[in-house]
Amino acid sequence: KQEVTQIPAALSVPEGENLVLNCSFTDSAIYNLQWFRQDPGKGLTSLLLIQSSQREQTSGRLNASLDKSSGRSTLYIAASQPGDSATYLCAVRRENAGNMLTFGGGTRLMVKP
Amino acid sequence: DTGVSQDPRHKITKRGQNVTFRCDPISEHNRLYWYRQTLGQGPEFLTYFQNEAQLEKSRLLSDRFSAERPKGSFSTLEIQRTEQGDSAMYLCASSDLGTIYNEQFFGPGTRLTVL
């Protein structure tokens, strides 16, 4: 059974800091990994998707890396802003296991002005 | 393309009542998924459809839960005889099997509160 863990569970940083969110998964046989953002009481917004054959993806101030063999992914946020405050979720899709996503518990990020 | 929509956005019900939620996927997306998210946790997979066929169901989907996608477009999720433990956010997502990554796009969710 695939298990996804995100560390830390919560993070508070001052505005302008660069930060790293961590995601680990137990089964390396994944098809892809997605990072999502969720604002309180809202749905999920996809930030980045990394295929298993890729090492990283970038979008603006966000950079996600994937080390499939070690079962790890990181989301790097550069020059954090108060508007980045949200919960960040990572999810993996396993190979040959249907199309379901398995999510981590999320990291709640607070960026203080 | 207006994205995935869900209705209602909030539902408060008394224990024992039946509730039904609707999800409209992105137009022409052939896959539709349901997830449940409890407070402070990540979403958990419930079931998914490819067109009108329900292809996979989680063990979380007890006999009180039923999902349909009758014409391969919108989907409904019904919960019978609701329990307080059913209180959660119910999320719907859709994807296009014909794309390379088959990326899932999520709706805003339906927040269910069972009193």
Side-chain angles (χ1 to χ4, degrees):
Chain A
K1 178 187 173 185
Q2 177 74 275
E3 293 184 0
V4 181
T5 303
Q6 291 187 245
I7 295 174
L11 183 62
S12 180
V13 300
E15 181 178 5
E17 265 200 18
N18 302 324
L19 55 100
V20 174
L21 308 182
N22 297 292
C23 173
S24 62
F25 45 95
T26 55
D27 186 344
S28 62
I30 66 168
Y31 181 73
N32 60 35
L33 182 146
Q34 277 184 268
W35 282 94
F36 293 89
R37 169 185 172 138
Q38 185 174 34
D39 293 290
K42 306 294 184 182
L44 278 62
T45 300
S46 181
L47 298 174
L48 291 164
L49 182 151
I50 310 177
Q51 283 297 105
S52 61
S53 58
Q54 298 173 327
R55 297 284 296 185
E56 66 179 319
Q57 284 284 347
T58 298
S59 175
R61 294 182 294 109
L62 305 180
N63 176 278
S65 67
L66 174 64
D67 185 342
K68 182 180 169 182
S69 60
S70 67
R72 297 179 186 276
S73 176
T74 61
L75 179 67
Y76 175 82
I77 302 176
S80 58
Q81 303 170 358
D84 295 330
S85 298
T87 295
Y88 291 81
L89 294 154
C90 73
V92 298
R93 179 185 162 193
R94 290 177 61 193
E95 292 177 351
N96 304 319
N99 206 47
M100 59 181 280
L101 292 176
T102 302
F103 284 84
T107 294
R108 296 186 305 281
L109 173 64
M110 172 72 72
V111 180
K112 298 180 178 179
Chain B
D1 186 352
T2 57
V4 178
S5 62
Q6 294 187 244
D7 183 71
R9 296 290 306 277
H10 304 274
K11 178 70 176 179
I12 300 174
T13 191
K14 293 181 178 179
R15 188 176 54 185
Q17 298 295 305
N18 300 342
V19 295
T20 299
F21 310 141
R22 177 180 170 124
C23 171
D24 286 89
I26 293 172
S27 179
E28 298 183 359
H29 273 194
N30 39 34
R31 285 192 169 176
L32 187 148
Y33 315 80
W34 286 98
Y35 293 83
R36 182 173 71 183
Q37 184 179 26
T38 53
L39 203 61
Q41 304 296 316
E44 296 175 291
F45 171 78
L46 292 178
T47 187
Y48 91 92
F49 294 83
Q50 183 166 312
N51 299 313
E52 65 274 10
Q54 189 173 16
L55 296 187
E56 190 169 351
K57 293 194 291 185
S58 161
R59 285 173 292 179
L60 292 175
L61 213 65
S62 75
D63 292 344
R64 297 184 297 105
F65 288 70
S66 63
E68 294 182 342
R69 195 183 184 196
K71 298 183 179 179
S73 56
F74 73 92
S75 175
T76 58
L77 177 68
E78 181 183 15
I79 308 174
Q80 295 182 327
R81 304 181 304 282
T82 53
E83 302 173 355
Q84 288 185 326
D86 297 331
S87 295
M89 174 80 88
Y90 290 83
L91 295 162
C92 176
S94 70
S95 70
D96 182 354
L97 182 59
T99 59
I100 295 176
Y101 299 142
N102 199 10
E103 183 177 357
Q104 295 183 26
F105 296 88
F106 282 77
T110 294
R111 168 75 66 188
L112 173 66
T113 302
V114 182
L115 302 175

